Amino acid sequence: MGLVSGLLLLPLAPLRGTLWIADHLLEEAERQMADPRAVRARLAALNRALEEGAIDEATFEKEEERLLQLLASPVRFTGRSPVAAARPAPGAPDRRRCREPAPSRHRRRGGAS
């Protein structure tokens, strides 16, 4: 980042920090919601609520279906949300902008190495 752009974007630093924190909070919430152990615990609590009469059959069926879909979904617990997984990890090189040069196809001729 250049000096001029750094100075121009300085007033936005608190906003960028807030967005970074919000992004990490969202990732953690999604991670906890998709954790299979947490989903199984919610299913057990749902069954107990039905047995105790706290919820009706229709509510049980609807919530059970949602939890079973979450448990069987192909997006598994990775520690990063699908949105965040599409972005490069902090500190990792972005492969779209930073490409290493292709190895040369030409061999050096001549003297011993």
Side-chain angles (χ1 to χ4, degrees), residues 56-94:
D56 62 346
E57 189 80 25
T59 305
F60 173 80
E61 293 290 331
K62 182 179 171 184
E63 186 65 16
E64 182 187 39
E65 181 64 31
R66 187 185 70 81
L67 290 173
L68 289 175
Q69 277 185 335
L70 185 61
L71 193 60
S73 68
V75 178
R76 301 303 283 160
F77 170 68
T78 62
R80 294 186 70 188
S81 70
V83 172
R87 288 177 272 160
D94 187 356

